[in-house]
Amino acid sequence: LAGPAEVVDSDGIDPWVEVAEEERNPRRMSIQGTLLKMLASITKHKWAHPFKRPVTDKEAPDYKEIIARPMDFATLRKRIEAGPFGAPA
């Protein structure tokens, strides 16, 4: 089995390193900003395409019967931008 794929942006820099460096800054990013930055990095991954938007009934008619709590990157972004986080729905 191959190890995890390495994510590197167009400048050849690992985006996770940038997130870590910003977190060490005394004027740390907000949790919301950190989550949005991480999400942006994840959505750039070469295998992220299937997770970028919700699955439609046309694509998979029984998906919502099988997956109790579907989640995709677009929905996750909306939830992050909406504000405070509590217990999962």
Side-chain angles (χ1 to χ4, degrees):
L1 293 173
E6 189 173 318
V7 178
V8 177
D9 65 13
S10 59
D11 298 328
I13 299 170
D14 184 350
W16 293 107
V17 172
E18 291 177 2
V19 170
E21 288 172 359
E22 288 175 1
E23 284 298 312
R24 283 192 288 255
N25 185 332
R27 295 172 290 169
R28 292 168 57 173
M29 293 179 70
S30 67
I31 296 290
Q32 183 181 31
T34 301
L35 291 172
L36 288 171
K37 187 153 185 120
M38 290 171 59
L39 184 59
S41 176
I42 293 167
T43 58
K44 292 177 186 176
H45 191 279
K46 65 181 179 180
W47 294 323
H49 179 72
F51 307 101
K52 289 187 177 183
R53 61 177 179 73
V55 175
T56 65
D57 289 335
K58 185 177 180 180
E59 294 170 323
D62 58 348
Y63 183 78
K64 292 179 182 171
E65 295 172 18
I66 298 168
I67 306 300
R69 292 176 25 202
M71 186 56 54
D72 59 273
F73 297 147
T75 303
L76 188 54
R77 173 177 292 284
K78 288 177 189 174
R79 290 181 69 182
I80 293 169
E81 290 173 345
F85 300 92

